[in-house]
Amino acid sequence: MVLQPYFSLLYRSHGIEGPNLSHWPEPNWTSPQEFVILGFSGWPPGLRMLLFSLLLPLYLATLAGNLLILGLALVEPTLHTPMYFFLGGLSAVEVAYTLVLTPRMLAGFLLPPGGQAVAPSTCAAQMGLFVALGGSECLLLAAMALDRYLAICHPLYYPQLMTTGLCWGLLASCCLGGSVLAIGLTTAIFQLPFCHGGLVNHVFCDLPAVLVLACGNRNLQENVLLVACMLLLVLPLILILLSYTRVLVVILGVGDSAGRRKAFNTVASHLTVAVLHYGCATAMYARPLSSRSLEEDKLVSLIYINLTPLLYPAIYTLRNRDMQGALQRVISQRTPGVVQQADLV
């Protein structure tokens, strides 16, 4: 029956629980012609404008910070090392991740109540890009941990092991791994019929928020999602913890106090980023659909879409003397007065 999605939308728009359409005969299941991303459209206009005014500066600061790290990693010769190669790659992924999610979320605060209508292909593309970029970021953090492990625990062999070719190979593997999982997950979800209408109770086409709209047996899709969480969250996190545990043991046992302090600050920065990223992602996706609250997920999304990406450049620049020195040199090259002052000092 073609009117089933319409009635489902009608029920939900008024906060009424509609009939359980998953028990209707399978030949009558139909998919919506469009999805509607609800976001926070049901909140009072004043509160939505307040959120917009707070989140827009965070979005601009996130873009500026990650572009700054990427630019410094490209133009500053002293940062042409494997660690900053991966950091530049991570910043590039963060810029793309932010551009995929944040502009549409911010636009939702300004639109009239009712949500944003998007075509199914647009919804699928946003979901796929989100998984691909998020998955690439998970794998890149593991590659950065491997780099620090080799640099600190095997310093004599590090130049021979972490070559330019290996760095590019690891970066390509991280992006390819995230993309393959994204294609698999998105394809598996959008093969299902969506008999519960097209209202996505989230700020973007997130996997669980779309999956709950599907009919029939969703066990395969839920299992695929849990397997993806294992591959992108649990295994990289175990590798990161093992690597940095070994690194901390080596740091405490050798070297002078200045060298230990520098190495410890680097490890602390990387661990802080890893805990933030994997903690939010695990809390969001390593749970079955039956135990979820989409309203809570939507609120948590404000953290991992807006705050977590902003903390990355803050942590890597404010706590990193190499980045601070590179930024000062770049600024001094464009400010003659600063150059002369630096020469006098």
Side-chain angles (χ1 to χ4, degrees):
M1 296 177 65
V2 178
L3 292 178
Q4 290 175 24
Y6 170 79
F7 284 121
S8 180
L9 289 172
L10 184 62
Y11 285 128
R12 292 169 181 265
S13 65
H14 292 279
I16 303 172
E17 186 65 27
N20 187 358
L21 300 180
S22 62
H23 296 294
W24 289 29
E26 184 171 347
N28 291 329
W29 290 349
T30 57
S31 294
Q33 298 300 313
E34 63 182 16
F35 288 91
V36 178
I37 302 175
L38 292 178
F40 297 95
S41 60
W43 287 23
L47 184 56
R48 288 191 285 123
M49 285 302 301
L50 176 62
L51 283 173
F52 176 83
S53 62
L54 292 175
L55 297 179
L56 179 60
L58 296 182
Y59 168 62
L60 297 176
T62 299
L63 281 182
N66 282 294
L67 288 174
L68 175 64
I69 293 176
L70 179 59
L72 289 176
L74 290 174
V75 304
E76 180 58 36
T78 59
L79 299 183
H80 291 171
T81 63
M83 184 177 78
Y84 294 106
F85 173 84
F86 291 120
L87 182 55
L90 182 65
S91 296
V93 170
E94 278 298 322
V95 169
Y97 177 90
T98 304
L99 290 174
V100 167
L101 299 182
T102 311
R104 187 176 290 276
M105 180 200 68
L106 291 175
F109 291 119
L110 302 178
L111 295 176
Q116 304 177 69
V118 297
S121 58
T122 303
C123 186
Q126 187 183 45
M127 179 187 294
L129 288 172
F130 166 70
V131 177
L133 294 169
S136 300
E137 184 177 346
C138 290
L139 299 176
L140 265 174
L141 290 173
M144 294 173 69
L146 175 63
D147 171 70
R148 290 300 84 201
Y149 167 77
L150 293 176
I152 295 176
C153 298
H154 302 282
L156 297 179
Y157 301 101
Y158 178 70
Q160 290 78 28
L161 293 174
M162 194 58 68
T163 61
T164 302
L166 180 59
C167 290
W168 279 106
L170 286 173
L171 178 61
S173 299
C174 293
C175 295
L176 180 62
S179 300
V180 169
L181 284 173
I183 293 173
L185 274 173
T186 306
T187 302
I189 290 176
F190 276 85
Q191 282 181 342
L192 291 170
F194 296 97
C195 64
H196 293 292
L199 287 181
V200 180
N201 190 14
H202 211 281
V203 297
F204 69 99
C205 287
D206 198 13
L207 288 86
V210 175
L211 188 55
V212 296
L213 302 177
C215 313
N217 188 354
R218 300 176 303 197
N219 291 334
L220 174 62
Q221 284 73 17
E222 290 196 51
N223 291 333
V224 170
L225 179 58
L226 291 177
V227 170
C229 290
M230 289 288 295
L231 294 176
L232 294 178
L233 299 177
V234 179
L235 294 182
L237 181 59
I238 292 175
L239 175 61
I240 289 172
L241 294 178
L242 291 176
S243 299
Y244 285 135
T245 299
R246 177 59 180 165
V247 165
L248 289 174
V249 171
V250 172
I251 289 174
L252 295 176
V254 298
D256 56 4
S257 59
R260 285 197 300 268
R261 188 180 305 110
K262 181 179 180 180
F264 185 82
N265 287 338
T266 301
V267 172
S269 299
H270 289 194
L271 271 178
T272 302
V273 170
V275 169
L276 289 171
H277 180 79
Y278 289 103
C280 287
T282 302
M284 283 295 297
Y285 299 105
R287 291 180 294 150
L289 288 178
S290 59
S291 64
R292 289 183 174 275
S293 169
L294 293 181
E295 289 295 330
E296 293 179 1
D297 288 355
K298 190 164 55 175
L299 290 174
V300 174
S301 70
L302 294 178
I303 297 176
Y304 69 78
I305 292 177
N306 299 283
L307 295 181
T308 305
L310 177 62
L311 292 177
Y312 293 172
I315 291 171
Y316 282 126
T317 54
L318 295 179
R319 294 180 56 88
N320 191 304
R321 293 184 178 180
D322 293 337
M323 294 294 295
Q324 294 172 2
L327 179 59
Q328 292 174 357
R329 284 189 294 272
V330 171
I331 294 175
S332 65
Q333 291 172 3
R334 289 160 174 77
T335 311
V338 176
V339 176
Q340 296 175 2
Q341 184 178 3
D343 292 339
L344 290 175
V345 175

